[in-house]
């Protein structure tokens, strides 16, 4: 009986999340303000036409900051009319995050707390059609899958996310929690090859894809420079030190390397590293 009550309560939050996503999508469509989705959609069309994925186009303002592999992810939505593709895009991103949280090794009450705690930030991302919803889901789900000894799918999610928006690469840190480390390493190479080759199948070819990965890296460097001193960006210890110092020459690696050493030290103390 308690299980049934919990499931009913849990799926109430899912329906609330999906309802909010649908409402945001419909409102933004009705007023014509859905620039992020336009950028996402055109990544697919530009890729199959052999155009730059990082240029400025009249269909939208700003520019794309996602990797060439994103064109495969957005393809099923891009081929649909905007009114349908965008609604499905927001709702499926939302459902993926819900599923990822549901797979965590938490108690029922802890999961309910996470659903409520994440709701406000989720609505913000839904309102601007952000892929960040899935980025969070990728990181959470990769950990949950490793806990279940499903390294094959965990590494799939990590590499998929990393080749789209870099951030899910932090999932590689879960390597230390894997009880099958050789499998983890092999699967990383396997999925890396698959995902690097995939765009070649529907774009003008290998040279085009390689050139777009190069352009993506350049775009990320430009974006990083713009974010260094932006008030609403770089909100972290690295950003705090940079803004306090006011030095454009300050290198994040001065803090990243000591942090990595400390992280490895703590991990080694918490788990038994056996391959």
């Amino acid at each position: 009986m308690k299980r049934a009550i919990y499931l009913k309560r849990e799926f109430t939050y899912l329906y609330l999340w999906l309802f909010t996503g649908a409402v945001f999508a419909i409102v933004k469509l009705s007023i014509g303000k859905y620039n992020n989705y336009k950028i996402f959609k055109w990544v697919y069309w530009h890729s199959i036409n052999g155009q730059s994925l990082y240029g400025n186009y009249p269909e939208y303002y700003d520019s794309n900051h996602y990797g060439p592999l994103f064109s495969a992810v957005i393809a099923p939505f891009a081929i649909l009319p905007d009114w349908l593709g965008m609604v499905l895009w927001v709702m499926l991103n939302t459902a993926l995050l819900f599923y990822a949280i549901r797979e965590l090794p938490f108690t029922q009450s802890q999961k309910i707390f996470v659903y409520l705690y994440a709701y406000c930030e989720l609505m913000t991302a839904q309102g601007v059609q952000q892929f960040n919803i899935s980025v969070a889901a990728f990181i959470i789900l990769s950990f949950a899958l490793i806990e279940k000894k499903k390294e094959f799918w965990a590494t799939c999610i990590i590499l998929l996310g990393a080749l789209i928006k870099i951030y899910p690469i932090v999932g590689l840190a879960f390597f230390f929690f894997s009880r099958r480390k050789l499998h983890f390493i092999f699967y990383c190479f396997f999925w890396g090859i698959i995902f690097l080759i995939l765009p070649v199948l529907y774009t003008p070819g290998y040279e085009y894809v390689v050139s777009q990965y190069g352009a993506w890296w350049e775009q990320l460097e430009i974006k990083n420079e713009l974010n260094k001193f932006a008030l609403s960006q770089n909100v972290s210890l690295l950003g705090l030190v940079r803004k306090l110092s006011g030095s454009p020459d300050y290198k994040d690696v001065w803090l990243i390397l000591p942090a990595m050493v400390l992280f490895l030290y703590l991990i080694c103390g918490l788990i038994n590293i056996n391959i």
Side-chain angles (χ1 to χ4, degrees), residues 2 9 15 19 31-32 34-35 81 86 98 103 135-136 140 168 176 186 206 219 223 225 228 233:
K2 289 184 178 179
R9 184 183 178 192
Y15 300 144
F19 174 76
I31 62 178
Y34 53 101
N35 188 69
M86 183 172 144
F98 183 90
E103 290 297 298
V135 169
I140 295 169
F176 296 102
F186 173 78
Y206 170 79
Q219 188 72 14
K223 184 68 173 176
E225 289 298 318
K228 280 183 178 179
Q233 300 292 332

Side-chain angles (χ1 to χ4, degrees), residues 254-273:
W254 297 346
L255 287 179
I256 292 174
L257 286 178
M260 289 177 64
V261 172
L262 179 61
F263 173 77
L264 291 173
Y265 174 77
L266 293 173
I267 290 296
C268 290
L270 289 172
I271 63 175
N272 181 22
I273 301 181

